Amino acid sequence: MATETEGGCQDSADKHIVVSGKLIDELEGLCEEDVFGCYQCGTCAAGCPFMDEMDLTVDEVLRYVILDKKEVLESKTIWLCASCFACAERCPRDINITKIMEALRQIVLRQNIDETDLECLTDEEKRSIPQMAFVSLFRKNIG
Amino acid sequence: MELLYYPGCTLKTSAVNLEESAFAVAEALGHSMIEMEEWNCCGVSASLTEDDLMHHLAPLRNLVHAEDQGMDRIVTLCDMCSNTLKQTDYRVREREDDLKTLNDFMDQENDYRMTVSVQHFLEFLRDDVGWKTLKKKVVNPLKGVRIMPYYGCMLLRPREVAIDDAEEPRIMADLIKALGAEVVDNPYKIECCGSYKTIEEKEMTSRRAKTISTYAVERDADLIMLSCPLCKYNIDQRGKEAELLFDGYSQIPVMYYTQLLAIALGLEGDWGFGAHAVDPTPLLEEKGVLPISEGST
Amino acid sequence: MAYEPKLLGFLCNWCAYAGADLAGVSRVQYPPNMRVIRVMCSGRVDPLHVLEAFRNGMDGVAVLGCHPGDCHYLTGNYQAERKMDLTFRVMEKVGIDPDRLLLDWVSAAEGQRFGEVITDFTERIRELGPLDAADAGPKAAVGEKIASMDRIRWLVGKERDMVDHGNVYGDKLDEAELKDILWNNIVNEYNRELIRSAIRAGSPATVPSIAEAVEMDTATVFKYMIDLENAGQVHMMDIVDDDPRYILVGEVSE
Amino acid sequence: MTAENKVGAVLVVGGGIAGMQSSLDLANSGFKVYLLDSSPGIGGTMAQLDKTFPTNDCSMCIMAPKLVDVGRHPNIELITYSEVESVEGEAGDFKVKIRKKARYVDVEKCTGCGVCAKECPIDAVSVFNEGLSERRAIYLMYPQAVPLAFAIDREKCIGCGLCENLCLADAIVYDDKDELSEINVGSIILCPGFEEFDSDQKGEYGHGRFPNVVSSIEFERILSASGPYKSHVLRASDGKQPKKIAWVQCVGSRDLGCGADYCSSVCCTYAIKEAVIAKEHVPSIEPTIFFMDMRTFGKGFESYYNRAKDEYGVRFLRCRISEIKEDPETHDLTIQYETEDGQLIEEEFDMAVLSVGFTSKEDSRDLAGRMGIDLNERGFCQTQEECPVETSRDGVFVCGAFSGPKDIPETVMEASGAAAKASGLISEARNTMVERKALPPELDVTGVGPRIGVFICHCGINIGGYVDVPGLVDYARGLPGVVYAEDNLYTCSQDTQKRFVETIQENHLNRVIVASCTPRTHEPLFQATIREAGLNAHLFEMANIRDQCSWVHMDDRSTATEKARDLVRMAIAKASIIEPLPMVELDITQSALVVGGGLSGMISALAIAEQGYPVDLIEAQSELGGVMRRIHHSSEGMDVQGFLRDTIGKVDSNPLITVHSNSQIIDIDGYIGNYRTTVEQDSDQIEIEHGVVIVATGAVESKPEEYLFGEDERVVTQLDLEGMMAEGADLSGKTIAMIQCVGSREEHRPYCSRVCCTDAVKNALAIKEAHPDANVYVLYRDMRTYGFKETLYERARAEGVIFIRYSLDRKPTVAKGKDGLVVGTRDHILDMDLEIEADLVVLAPAIIPQPGNADIGKLLKVPLNEDGFFLEAHVKLRPVDFSTEGVFLAGMAHSPKFIGEAIAQAYAAASRACTIISSDKFETEATVSSVNEALCSGCGLCAAACPYLAIELVDGKAVVTTALCKGCGVCAATCRSGAVQQKGFKDEQILSLIKGALCEVL
């Protein structure tokens, strides 16, 4: 971590995530949310502050899980989620979407594929950004 | 009265000005903040997976240390600490078996007897001090200062740990009125500031800061009041950087509620404005709430 | 030439008027500015009389009656108290300084005190200066309109009864609550009158233009427009680029 | 409970449209009705509505006739501003304690003039106008309220006594107390209605904080002409006319966040109505509706939705928004939504309307608790699909929104249904508590010159304040034929009416003129009084010198008086030549003919038999049951085949019901009360006499012509699937793809078959329960599992059934694959092609009308609508009647519906039929047409003009069937030779009115 390799930091390597059975069974232990309860009303997407940067919209992520399309684990969206709970509070089906996003992240992290690599940060930033940001980031993005 | 204070990491480093102003305010109101003897990282951010009890250990230890000191309440300044501690407190109260596992696992510490509650400093001002008494203590009312309250999400969501109405919070608006300033209501006050995304998604956080601050500028607010050090960094620092991304955009100052409270109570001190990307001093002087001190930047 | 305030005094026959005579007999000297009207009881003085006085150019009005409990007609002075309370409120609302009205009690034996009361009142009005008729005239007229409304005179008339003996259901009312209801009616009627005069000044008028003229927010003005339309005093003539335009209706011109 | 001590009266709790309909049915079938309402006037929520879908009729215009009928029906006793305290006893004999709350106004004396409210110093929020405007402490709920009487809101009133001082009718009663009374009834109908969801609970939409966010019921008041804004569409923040209005659907429905796991059924359609009506009021308005599934499933609703989209340009956006933001300065609103292809858009709106759902009322729940009525867990009254109008307690019935969210047609059907059950229970006690006033014999006025009495009313100051009434009396005294004239303060008050009778008899008057308010509400009252004085009711004429004279010329007294003089003179001119009109009575064959032996036919037959009247049930096939024979389990878990078996058993064993199977109707002759029908049963013909006809011919499943149906036996319909599963088909491990809207909601058939979504979900659940490892996909356009059926949709998703939406322009494809069938479609969220390897494809075909409807229609002279179903008299308020008197409609012949709804409508048809056959006499209209044969040239013009076929040519002369004649007078105006005249409105009478209006001296 000491040397700051300007060129060294590149986007995280393409991950080869292995998921044997159905996604919904993988999620079983991690969160007991009734993903199938979703009727694609779009409220979560309409209320998410980070939708512009997301490759999959929030309801598309849920749809991937329902249709068991494993590519959802490679999407940028699950890492962009800042766990602000706006979607969970507003979902008419009372599904805690924030927990589902965390569970999806955990599936990847528990195959010890880390999302974050701190090379890209300048020293100055390491000093000025509040520690709570780093602690949160490590907890969320590193297995 | 004596308040058992849980600082958390950031309050000791980049948010020292929040701590100092809070200490000064507490004292001026006749209370003393006593830092916990034993405290460790609050375990931000709360783990949301069902099977992960491990990450609740850190916050639980803090609750146990408070019980050891014989106190029934922890006061926090940082929104994220308050949220994380409350979520763990809520979970162990809801599920005794988790508490039992955690208690059995902790061999050095005593068992958590659920006698401690977690209170954010804003809640303390509202519930224990009360706006009326606060208003009486204000000697230097912030007359003519238009302040936009910004709550972020950690104080209001998830609903089990909210300190106010999640859709229409009033706690900061009441505080601003008590300080004699004008409230600039706004629809962005409960939208996320970008939180820890600021590390890897700098532009996104700058855009968030610009959206929130532009609204304030259009309503000719003078400054944004908030309570969380990470929100402060994202809107203040990333907002300043947004000036490079969007020409013609200028970031308005951001302040902690404790700094404004200290000024209103007429306390002496420099409140650590140096740590702000946009120094609020010129504005405060122009509004006549701060004495024109020579040589200030 | 120094400003000499024009004053009017209503003196109740049994106490204040007698007090004034006693002052005369005792050669008590007091300024000559006040013209006196003798009434049998201070309770006879109608708010409209006071407002009419201001409308016609008086700078100050005094109503002097018996001390509470001394009234020859038992409760006349209590009625005066309530009627003048209404007058103070109306004056405050329409923008005539309530200090220009004095309500006081002078007994038949207080000749000396009568002189002092008159002298102090004259000085008070001299300080306040003359009442500009052009400005106060229309204000007093609006005040009279309010003070002559059925429901307001009924509330004032029944106030004592309802507070001391109880209303039609037999329960005694809390005075402060009754005062709020009275004040609420005065404010509403005044605001409606303001709005009517704003429309009169520039008809047809839109809600935003009225709001600006009467310095009220558009939501409140709109709420009053609904009341006025239901009462048949205002009519929505048409809607021009999304702004309804209102005209006065059934206005019997003074 | 023996027949003797059954009480012939019914208590109806709740005076909304449901309470009014059941009360009228019961009162017209010979039962005493106590109609109780907790508010000062009846009318319920419908009174608050502006227009109603799908016809856009003004709600008050279609409800007012029922309001007035209920208000003055001799068998209905109105108990307003009252609550039920307790109910003792059992079915047939209940003792009900009632608390009549102190109203502080004497209902008999108050005439509703409103002088008191004008001056009352208290401001209170008008609940009727949903807080958009204010009312006083003394208030009238709405201008057309019945009874038209004010009430004092005791909490708000400060007791200052001003209203008593102002009231001319001396109707104020300050020492009014609550009264406890007890009534004895045979059965009880609960229809207390519902409450709108309080949208303040959805903080994210800002109702209660943002002035420009209103609820849908508030918007109804905004649209209403009697509403606070006089029907101008304005917004509260600045009174401006909004340009962009957003409707937000599912506020408080389909939302676990506020404990509502059901759909409120009506919000989609009423939102479309509000958008369309707003657009009609203000063409510049741009309405947008944010929705999840567009649930326009009722009769005529789908084409209503299409017209809104195509003709009115209402924009439909399929996204449930997360919040509404407001700019605190301008109060404009911003809504962020996700488009169907995943883009996030932020858009500004001037105003937002929250389509709030239904919740149960708190005091209805308390009442049910006190009466021991079971509620379901959502607080609505628990009912069974076998009989949706019965509660858990014997003798207590339910209708309307108290048993669940429903729209007005279904409410009216359930109301008549509840009336059928309530009266069926006590049919032996019919006519026991209903007294027909003994009337003196009618005075014979033939040959006696006119002796006219003129009664002119002050109506407090409503007339007297603006018209010189005493002057009018002197003027009338001078006119020819007038022998008596007087004025009184309130002519319609009880005491004046008593004096009326004496005055007529003392002065031997044989014509009566009353100059007062509108004949529409008061003519029957005065006619009944003069009939009690021995005069024929039609020797009477009114002059409307209030609603159309004093009230509308307030600022010009002289012209008002002059106009009043003209109106009185006109009435007097006609009075001299009016004639007594005999009340024609027809005798009724007290029996019914039911066409169609399906579920609806059988239920209505049983209901009529329960009332004690014989029924002939005509069934084309050999056995009863109709399409229900192919249904094995219902969406609410009812044992369908078991219920069908024991219903058929009841029909066969009922002595009053004669079943004619394998029978065809050859001819139906006659009219109401006197029908003769020829029925052919395997070659021999029999003739049946009966009084009424109930059409219950049902409907059939159409044959799909797409998705390889008929070409591959693995493509079946939902009914086939039910049959297969009943025979235990093994579907474990199989993949089943269901396709909805096959033939429905298409260009050539623009209606929704209503039941297929729930049917598909029901069958999908059945498959999953039997074979958990089966994969079930449902391809749909809008999931229309409305009402409490939403929970089925929940359970299906929870069981892992996958729902994929398709649009009309991208229909799924079915092709033969290697071993299974390949169903191709596109995922609506991912916008990605999907292929399903299906072992079985199940289609939901459209439900189409019986082919034979056209012939039955011709025989009964009743019309069909453009979709081929029968056209009822009025889609909203007479859903089971035909415009031709005496013919009624039930079941799927009306439109596709569920088993429970068909049963409710069957009972309703029976109740409506019994209003006619429950008495042997039928009083026809008096002002019917008559033909002077000497002048009639038999040209047939009159017959062509009559919409009711009440006048026809018989051997070259026009003949009127008085029973069918509704008294409109069109034939008289069409006749070329003056042969046809309308009694009471003869040409000479109308001409006399014209002459009276013009010349000063008659």
Side-chain angles (χ1 to χ4, degrees), chain B residues 81-99:
Chain B
C81 297
S82 147
N83 185 294
T84 318
L85 292 173
K86 283 186 181 196
Q87 286 211 44
T88 297
D89 191 22
Y90 176 78
R91 170 145 181 184
V92 292
R93 284 172 197 263
E94 283 301 303
R95 305 188 198 174
E96 278 102 36
D97 47 14
D98 286 356
L99 178 58

Side-chain angles (χ1 to χ4, degrees), chain C residues 154 185 218 230 239 242-243, chain D residues 121 123 160 230 237 240-241:
Chain C
W154 181 273
N185 270 281
T218 50
N230 283 340
I239 295 179
D242 291 340
D243 254 322
Chain D
D123 292 343
C160 71
K230 300 278 176 289
S237 69
K240 280 175 90 75
Q241 190 168 266

Side-chain angles (χ1 to χ4, degrees), chain B residues 14-288:
Chain B
S14 56
V16 174
N17 50 2
L18 170 57
E19 184 173 85
E20 276 156 13
S21 49
F23 272 48
V25 160
E27 227 180 297
L29 296 174
H31 307 282
S32 55
M33 303 270 270
I34 297 132
E35 191 168 312
M36 284 173 67
E37 279 135 21
E38 278 280 333
W39 62 270
N40 50 272
C41 163
C42 76
V44 76
S45 64
S47 97
L48 301 171
T49 38
E50 288 305 311
D51 61 1
D52 172 6
L53 272 183
M54 183 56 137
H55 287 125
H56 287 285
L57 262 182
L60 193 65
R61 280 207 178 87
N62 288 317
L63 300 177
V64 170
H65 292 321
E67 272 181 347
D68 296 348
Q69 283 190 248
M71 302 289 268
D72 63 3
R73 175 171 35 171
I74 299 180
V75 174
T76 67
L77 285 172
C78 157
D79 295 16
M80 274 198 157
C81 297
S82 147
N83 185 294
T84 318
L85 292 173
K86 283 186 181 196
Q87 286 211 44
T88 297
D89 191 22
Y90 176 78
R91 170 145 181 184
V92 292
R93 284 172 197 263
E94 283 301 303
R95 305 188 198 174
E96 278 102 36
D97 47 14
D98 286 356
L99 178 58
K100 199 177 163 320
T101 346
L102 285 167
N103 278 337
D104 298 347
F105 181 83
M106 289 193 294
D107 35 28
Q108 281 100 10
E109 293 83 359
N110 325 346
D111 287 357
Y112 177 48
R113 287 175 279 100
M114 295 196 277
T115 60
V116 171
S117 70
V118 182
Q119 189 183 43
H120 189 271
F121 193 62
L122 265 172
E123 285 179 282
F124 169 73
L125 292 176
R126 175 187 64 193
D127 302 341
D128 296 85
V129 176
W131 304 129
K132 283 206 183 52
T133 14
L134 204 66
K135 196 169 174 47
K136 281 206 214 66
K137 292 228 167 26
V138 167
V139 295
N140 166 23
L142 312 178
K143 250 203 173 341
V145 182
R146 290 171 60 77
I147 304 175
M148 184 170 109
Y150 178 78
Y151 295 88
C153 20
M154 287 294 121
L155 290 180
L156 301 170
R157 296 193 289 270
R159 64 186 76 131
E160 305 87 41
V161 295
I163 71 165
D164 199 346
D165 174 338
E167 296 299 344
E168 186 50 29
R170 289 170 23 141
I171 193 166
M172 281 198 190
D174 292 346
L175 172 59
I176 294 171
K177 287 192 199 105
L179 303 184
E182 278 166 56
V183 179
V184 176
D185 194 1
N186 75 92
Y188 293 98
K189 52 181 183 271
I190 53 170
E191 252 184 37
C192 181
C193 69
S195 187
Y196 54 88
K197 294 291 120 187
T198 190
I199 300 172
E200 291 176 323
E201 300 288 341
K202 281 200 269 295
E203 272 90 28
M204 179 177 92
T205 320
S206 292
R207 270 199 300 276
R208 287 298 311 155
K210 173 178 175 299
T211 314
I212 295 167
S213 309
T214 314
Y215 192 88
V217 169
E218 275 166 9
R219 292 294 161 285
D220 50 60
D222 300 321
L223 56 91
I224 295 177
M225 166 201 276
L226 42 75
S227 59
C228 164
L230 189 47
C231 296
K232 180 248 170 197
Y233 179 80
N234 283 352
I235 299 178
D236 182 30
Q237 177 60 32
R238 293 291 182 243
K240 188 70 180 159
E241 289 163 16
E243 287 172 356
L244 314 172
L245 300 171
F246 309 96
D247 44 21
Y249 169 74
S250 80
Q251 177 59 36
I252 67 172
V254 172
M255 287 180 69
Y256 291 120
Y257 63 100
T258 44
Q259 291 169 323
L260 285 160
L261 188 46
I263 295 169
L265 296 176
L267 308 180
E268 290 308 322
D270 82 347
W271 314 128
F273 289 144
H276 290 245
V278 175
D279 180 358
T281 317
L283 169 94
L284 296 172
E285 283 165 356
E286 179 219 328
K287 287 284 172 177

Side-chain angles (χ1 to χ4, degrees), chain C residues 150-151 154-155 158 162 167-169 171 173 181 184-185 188 207 218-219 222 226 230 236 239 242-244, chain D residues 104 118-121 123 152 154 157-162 165 174 228-230 232 234 237-241:
Chain C
D150 248 5
R151 59 178 142 221
W154 181 273
L155 276 181
K158 284 279 179 182
M162 285 199 278
N167 62 14
V168 291
Y169 308 110
D171 359 319
L173 287 192
I181 291 173
N184 181 27
N185 270 281
N188 280 343
V207 167
T218 50
F222 180 57
I226 300 172
N230 283 340
M236 182 193 292
I239 295 179
D242 291 340
D243 254 322
Chain D
Y104 303 99
K118 226 145 114 297
E119 283 307 326
C120 167
D123 292 343
I152 291 186
R154 185 62 181 75
C157 169
I158 57 168
C160 71
L162 179 54
N165 172 276
Y174 287 127
Y229 302 168
K230 300 278 176 289
H232 294 290
L234 305 172
S237 69
D238 51 16
K240 280 175 90 75
Q241 190 168 266

Side-chain angles (χ1 to χ4, degrees), chain D residues 509-696:
Chain D
L509 303 180
N510 57 23
R511 303 285 193 280
V512 170
I513 307 287
V514 171
S516 67
C517 50
T518 167
R520 264 182 55 253
T521 49
H522 281 70
E523 188 170 52
L525 173 78
F526 296 132
Q527 285 179 321
T529 310
I530 67 170
R531 181 62 195 82
E532 272 162 41
L535 274 184
N536 177 284
H538 291 277
L539 295 169
F540 173 76
E541 194 61 30
M542 274 186 84
N544 187 346
I545 60 169
R546 183 185 76 172
D547 305 44
Q548 290 176 20
C549 183
S550 67
W551 269 356
V552 288
H553 311 307
M554 282 174 156
D555 44 23
D556 187 348
R557 293 168 64 90
S558 56
T559 29
T561 308
E562 199 204 323
K563 179 171 176 180
R565 284 157 62 107
D566 290 353
L567 294 174
V568 168
R569 189 176 58 249
M570 288 165 70
I572 291 167
K574 180 180 177 188
S576 48
I577 50 169
I578 40 178
E579 298 140 353
L581 302 180
M583 198 55 93
V584 173
E585 275 192 346
L586 284 166
D587 35 32
I588 298 278
T589 319
Q590 293 185 281
S591 74
L593 181 91
V594 175
V595 186
L599 172 68
S600 308
M602 290 193 286
I603 295 287
S604 38
L606 284 169
I608 292 177
E610 194 186 3
Q611 300 275 350
Y613 303 106
V615 181
D616 286 278
L617 181 57
I618 314 295
E619 170 50 48
Q621 291 165 11
S622 58
E623 41 167 355
L624 298 170
V627 77
M628 195 168 167
R629 289 201 300 274
R630 299 182 59 198
I631 299 174
H632 294 279
H633 44 84
S634 86
S635 49
E636 264 124 72
M638 155 185 162
D639 167 11
V640 177
Q641 289 307 321
F643 180 74
L644 183 59
R645 269 193 311 281
D646 79 41
T647 309
I648 293 176
K650 278 195 202 133
V651 168
D652 288 343
S653 63
N654 192 305
L656 287 170
I657 301 178
T658 331
V659 177
H660 307 263
S661 42
N662 300 318
S663 301
Q664 292 299 343
I665 294 180
I666 303 303
D667 178 32
I668 299 177
D669 187 12
Y671 46 83
I672 177 170
N674 304 280
Y675 282 106
R676 274 176 317 291
T677 302
T678 11
V679 172
E680 189 184 62
Q681 186 176 36
D682 39 37
S683 81
D684 54 4
Q685 295 193 349
I686 53 168
E687 200 174 82
I688 303 172
E689 286 209 350
H690 52 92
V692 283
V693 184
I694 293 186
V695 176

